Amino acid sequence: MHKYMPFLKAKANEFGAIKSLSKEKKKLVIPFFDLPMKKDMDASTLKQSIEKVSRKFCLNMKGVPEYFVDDYDIPNSIHIGGRPSYEYFAACMFAQNLCFNPVVGIDRTADRNACVFTPAITKVVKSRRIALRVSSEDLISYNLIRSDILHLLAMGDGIYDRWVLVIDNRVCKGVDALTRSLQIKAFCAAALADHAYESIVITGSTLPPAAGDVLSTNSEVHLVRNEIAIFNNAIPAFSGRHVIFGDYTIVSPDYSDSDIDPRNMLNVTAPKVVYSYEGKHYIVRGGGIKTHPRGFKQYNDIASIIIAKPFFRHGNSAGDLYLVEKAAGLGSTVMPGSILKPTINSHISFMLDLL
């Protein structure tokens, strides 16, 4: 039974992190992907993005039994061929002979949700499993959204019989863990009284989108992972239920590089590496790549710092091996983008072992 669900952007580094998992760990993980939003995206650019993403699923997801895909970040107003773009994504996956688990939510438009219950989507779903994703704002009162949820459940009657309830805390840094867990317990108790959900997923991230909100340049921090505290406070209420821990690995759910001109990227970037251990993120941040005398080699210096820590996991994953190699100065130059694949891989491997 799955115990861990990493929430990932459907982008190259995240796909690479999954592909680099061991064969055994691929069987244990059940990823949840969000299709990425890009600056000034319209129907034409979204269509191209979806075609590329579906190809990446084909190339990188072999050995992973199943996964969810959502378009949470994509405006529902962008249609392709007059229909919700989610349908086009399903068509591209079908063309690749791939299947996925769909997602609905009360914050979506009626036609976006409705398409999930039509043959355009259902023909790509093999497990009859579907996720209902709710956000922290929805936790205020189940009764306020109960009719919307029951409507979705009724639409899925006879089509999907394995519903997964996803409680998405998004960025939960600074949130009182006990208060939030009480909200989750009350919401889920009411939800379970209405429907026998197959599983409950509780996810979130302590990482804000801007690194500067956590630490300054040329510094380090051991950031306590509030998503773990929220989960641990909530799960005693679900005895006998299948509850899955989820997180956004080492990338903030609200992070987006879409507003940064690639030509200016190095002017505003300082090396940052996030390494997870126990209930914390160990984050090391260097100085500006363009102004620091070590430039890109700061990544090698940071790798040396991390592998010297007592909590470093030697030989645990492809990502950990990458850090050892970079600490030794081996291989190609580390870039702001290339550090993500190994550190996401390391995080997922660690969480699978932990849970």
Side-chain angles (χ1 to χ4, degrees):
M1 201 61 117
H2 296 294
K3 291 186 178 180
Y4 177 53
M5 183 179 291
F7 283 65
L8 307 162
K9 300 292 186 186
K11 300 172 74 172
N13 283 305
E14 284 80 350
F15 281 120
I18 294 292
K19 187 176 182 178
S20 300
L21 289 172
S22 68
K23 187 179 296 185
E24 294 73 23
K25 284 185 167 64
K26 285 181 181 179
K27 295 176 182 177
L28 298 174
V29 72
I30 180 165
F32 190 116
F33 288 95
D34 282 311
L35 299 178
M37 178 64 182
K38 296 183 179 180
K39 186 178 181 182
D40 301 324
M41 183 172 270
D42 57 19
S44 176
T45 53
L46 177 56
K47 183 173 181 289
Q48 294 174 16
S49 176
I50 286 173
E51 290 166 356
K52 291 178 182 177
V53 165
S54 64
R55 182 60 181 157
K56 288 177 181 176
F57 274 106
C58 183
L59 294 173
N60 295 284
M61 298 303 290
K62 292 180 177 64
V64 179
E66 63 178 296
Y67 45 86
F68 292 85
V69 184
D70 195 6
D71 59 351
Y72 181 92
D73 297 319
I74 309 295
N76 290 172
S77 58
I78 305 179
H79 283 196
I80 297 175
R83 296 294 301 160
S85 58
Y86 203 48
E87 278 192 11
Y88 188 71
F89 171 71
C92 290
M93 294 291 277
F94 187 73
Q96 299 280 353
N97 197 31
L98 299 173
C99 59
F100 69 96
N101 298 331
V103 183
V104 292
I106 63 168
D107 54 352
R108 318 303 170 87
T109 59
D111 62 340
R112 157 59 178 83
N113 276 334
C115 78
V116 174
F117 306 101
T118 66
I121 302 282
T122 58
K123 69 181 181 182
V124 196
V125 182
K126 305 301 182 186
S127 68
R128 294 172 66 89
R129 182 175 283 129
I130 183 173
L132 169 62
R133 187 180 195 177
V134 298
S135 64
S136 57
E137 291 80 8
D138 301 321
L139 298 176
I140 297 172
S141 172
Y142 178 78
N143 285 332
L144 286 176
I145 59 174
R146 181 173 183 261
S147 60
D148 296 317
I149 290 177
L150 292 180
H151 177 64
L152 290 171
L153 291 169
M155 291 178 70
D157 188 37
I159 302 172
Y160 300 102
D161 51 20
R162 305 168 74 182
W163 284 78
V164 176
L165 178 60
V166 176
I167 307 298
D168 191 353
N169 292 287
R170 304 291 290 179
V171 177
C172 54
K173 181 178 182 292
V175 171
D176 184 87
L178 182 58
T179 300
R180 177 60 56 82
S181 67
L182 290 173
Q183 291 177 326
I184 292 172
K185 286 188 281 189
F187 184 94
C188 290
L192 288 166
D194 278 339
H195 184 81
Y197 290 91
E198 178 189 52
S199 304
I200 297 171
V201 180
I202 303 174
T203 190
S205 173
T206 306
L207 295 169
D213 292 342
V214 175
L215 75 169
S216 59
T217 55
N218 298 302
S219 64
E220 62 180 50
V221 67
H222 296 261
L223 184 67
V224 175
R225 296 177 59 194
N226 203 31
E227 66 271 23
I228 295 179
I230 292 171
F231 180 86
N232 287 339
N233 277 298
I235 55 172
F238 303 116
S239 178
R241 301 283 182 178
H242 183 215
V243 184
I244 301 174
F245 178 82
D247 65 25
Y248 283 84
T249 69
I250 50 88
V251 180
S252 172
D254 293 340
Y255 174 76
S256 173
D257 55 13
S258 61
D259 295 326
I260 303 175
D261 188 326
R263 294 169 297 182
N264 294 327
M265 186 68 76
L266 296 184
N267 294 325
V268 298
T269 299
K272 180 193 71 175
V273 182
V274 183
Y275 190 82
S276 307
Y277 74 99
E278 297 174 3
K280 299 176 182 178
H281 288 308
Y282 175 54
I283 310 172
V284 186
R285 195 174 179 211
I289 289 176
K290 273 207 164 185
T291 57
H292 194 283
R294 291 286 288 170
F296 287 109
K297 290 189 180 299
Q298 290 179 89
Y299 283 109
N300 301 86
D301 301 335
I302 293 173
S304 295
I305 293 171
I306 291 173
I307 70 166
K309 296 296 180 182
F311 51 76
F312 179 71
R313 300 174 292 277
H314 289 271
N316 185 67
S317 68
D320 293 303
L321 178 60
Y322 177 92
L323 291 174
V324 171
E325 291 176 346
K326 295 310 165 185
L330 303 176
S332 57
T333 300
V334 184
M335 305 292 285
S338 60
I339 193 64
L340 289 177
K341 170 186 167 182
T343 47
I344 293 172
N345 173 272
S346 172
H347 177 95
I348 294 174
S349 298
F350 166 63
M351 292 307 299
L352 286 169
D353 288 339
L354 181 68
L355 298 169

